[in-house]
Amino acid sequence: MIQLVSFYIFASIVIASAAMVIFARNPVHSVLWLIVAFFNAAGLMVLIGAEFIAMLLVIVYVGAVAVLFLFVVMMLDIDFAELRAGFIKNVPLGLLLAIVLVAELVLGIGAYQAGAVQLGTPEAGVATVSPTVPNIEAIGALLYSKYVFLFETAGLILLVAMVGAIVLTHRRSHNTRGQNISSQVQRRPEDATRNVNQPVGQGIEL
Amino acid sequence: MTSFFQNLGMSYEAAWFTATIAGILLIALPLMLAVALIIYAERKLWAAFALRRGPNVVGPFGILQSFADGLKVFLQETIIPSASNRGLFLIAPIITFTVALMAWAVIPFADGVVLSNINVGLLYILAISSLGVYGVVIAGWASNSKYPFYSAMRAAAQMISYEVSIGFILICVVLWAGTFNVGGIVEGQRSHIFGFINAYAFNPLLFPIAVMFLISSMAETARAPFDLTEAESELVAGYQTEYSSMAFALFWLGEYANVLLMCALNVILFWGGYLPPVDWAPLYAVPGIIWFFAKILLMFFIFAWVKATVPRYRYDQLMRLGWKVFLPISLFWVFLVSGYLMFTGHFA
């Protein structure tokens, strides 16, 4: 009973907020609706017993990705009149995208009704959902035994991507002056100030 | 608690529902009271550090000062700037306040006394605390004013930076405890050192990260010396600049509920949670909740002490500490701890 009620609550909020992402006029509102959608999708994950995935969804997407979206969108200075001006120009592209999406949807539903694709025996390759074994243990046992090479390859690809991003953005500029933290920390009052007992009527040498 | 309501003749669903609601109220209401008293305690502490008297007029020793303040803001007019984004402006303090309360659901107050004993408790806390940044960011943006906006930018960058190192620190503790369950982590500390000290912090391998976690939790809650988000000498009052009356009070309550949560997390992860300091039978006569609160208060004293004595960091120093000092050290420590555990056969 309570599963059913919560499923419908989570699912309807996911769909409604996903629709609001598109319909909201203000891009900041769009991002916030997207966060609501992520959050309720995490609720759906909890309902099927995948609490680890649910938490990861919130930590990664809500906690990191959406913050970056919000960061960028908040900085934008958006002129709504200008946005609407480009509407006619982009109609063909939008129509094309819409047709592709509708075709994919129809194909997907058709394929689904024709029967699921066999992906192999579920016992060997799928982490089990059971109330006694924690999600993390089930996924970890599988990830570090059967899929260890794939897992490490994924890690390697991410590392290369990170190094690549740093190489692309890192520029050694010659006009900026970096800070030497240790010299800042080691600076003492004696290095920067001096006490003088200046006779009256004489100027001070700086 | 569900079985208690079932004994009153309710069906399982109704009993579970009533028990959960009762549990939420049992945590949230005393927490609000604790926040009011902790604000008073902190003001008294700062006053003592600065050789002043502090609040001493309302009630005996001024103990009702927070309640008087609360009543005052409650009776004030809520001013909404006309240029602000009205809906988000009002939602922002509610987000901060709600998020500050939500994480308490998985905190064990004594052995088995926890609202929701879930396997991914620590991840839940991490997920909820990553939501906390939205309250500040939305407040800064919706105010449509430059100082709150600067503050929101700073808050977002600061909280994300320190969450990274907090994540690595949590991993070290989880590796040692072997579980993400918060209660399991506390139980893992039972007679951890020499067979009788109940705390991870006295483990030489975990003590450095205990210190790092204390500092990171100050940065994560945007407390002094890391309170760049409301640096009054630069940003008026930061993201709270445009807020008045109850909306401001919600930020205030949320902030202190967050500080208490971070104190509780420090206690749970490194100082033995609800366990007495040493594993000695007579000490178990004192209920676990009293040990827990005593440790939280001690931790809060450290927070107040730091706020009263340490000057504010410069923003670039804050970022340097997060990314160039804490991140490499905590990453290295994950290797160190997991390597140690592997070679000593901790899980064999």
Side-chain angles (χ1 to χ4, degrees), chain A residues 61-77:
Chain A
Y61 283 93
V62 178
V65 175
V67 172
L68 284 181
F69 280 178
L70 200 62
F71 221 85
V72 173
V73 167
M74 268 165 53
M75 300 279 210
L76 297 177
D77 186 22

Side-chain angles (χ1 to χ4, degrees), chain B residues 55-229:
Chain B
N56 62 352
V57 177
V58 191
F61 308 107
I63 200 162
L64 298 177
Q65 181 67 48
S66 301
F67 300 99
D69 287 344
L71 199 65
K72 185 192 77 178
V73 293
F74 188 69
L75 294 175
Q76 276 174 343
E77 181 193 356
T78 306
I79 298 168
I80 301 171
S82 54
S84 70
N85 195 316
R86 197 187 161 89
L88 290 181
F89 186 80
L90 291 175
I91 287 175
I94 298 174
I95 292 177
T96 304
F97 181 72
T98 321
V99 163
L101 289 184
M102 270 165 78
W104 286 89
V106 294
I107 300 288
F109 292 92
D111 198 359
V113 182
V114 52
L115 180 65
S116 163
N117 187 15
I118 53 176
N119 284 328
V120 288
L122 215 52
L123 281 178
Y124 171 80
I125 292 175
L126 207 60
I128 294 301
S129 73
S130 69
L131 284 179
V133 67
Y134 285 110
V136 177
V137 170
I138 293 173
W141 184 80
S143 294
N144 200 5
S145 160
K146 73 176 91 162
Y147 294 118
F149 192 63
Y150 284 144
S151 164
M153 292 287 117
R154 284 185 179 188
Q158 175 175 346
M159 288 185 188
I160 291 177
S161 316
Y162 279 85
E163 235 157 52
V164 179
S165 64
I166 283 183
F168 283 127
I169 290 167
L170 293 186
I171 289 292
C172 291
V173 176
V174 164
L175 279 172
W176 212 294
T179 173
F180 270 98
N181 184 307
V182 184
I185 289 171
V186 175
E187 285 303 320
Q189 299 178 47
R190 197 182 284 274
S191 43
H192 180 63
I193 307 291
F194 306 132
F196 67 94
I197 299 177
N198 297 329
Y200 275 149
F202 294 104
N203 184 331
L205 211 52
L206 291 178
F207 180 72
I209 60 168
V211 175
M212 268 164 54
F213 187 70
L214 181 65
I215 299 172
S216 302
S217 54
M218 282 170 196
E220 182 73 8
T221 50
R223 287 269 300 186
F226 306 109
D227 55 347
L228 274 307
T229 53

Side-chain angles (χ1 to χ4, degrees), chain B residues 10-23:
Chain B
M10 290 185 185
S11 69
Y12 177 77
E13 277 92 2
W16 177 85
F17 194 72
T18 327
T20 309
I21 299 287

Side-chain angles (χ1 to χ4, degrees), chain A residues 29 62 66-67 136 179 181, chain B residues 85 134 160 180 314 316 320:
Chain A
H29 292 184
V62 178
V67 172
I136 304 174
Q179 299 182 39
I181 300 294
Chain B
N85 195 316
Y134 285 110
I160 291 177
F180 270 98
R314 224 169 49 207
D316 63 311
R320 178 182 168 270

Side-chain angles (χ1 to χ4, degrees), chain B residues 293-340:
Chain B
F293 276 112
K295 287 174 180 178
I296 287 184
L297 290 179
L298 207 65
M299 203 50 81
F300 187 76
F301 175 76
I302 296 176
F303 270 62
W305 189 5
V306 169
K307 185 161 181 169
T309 48
V310 181
R312 182 177 296 135
Y313 257 51
R314 224 169 49 207
Y315 194 69
D316 63 311
Q317 291 173 333
L318 173 88
M319 282 295 141
R320 178 182 168 270
L321 187 69
W323 289 106
K324 291 187 173 174
V325 180
F326 278 6
L327 181 61
I329 293 180
S330 55
L331 188 57
F332 175 71
W333 230 265
V334 173
F335 282 107
L336 203 66
V337 167
S338 51
Y340 174 83

Side-chain angles (χ1 to χ4, degrees), chain A residues 104-114:
Chain A
E104 281 183 348
L105 221 83
V106 170
L107 278 176
I109 291 171
Y112 174 75
Q113 280 175 345

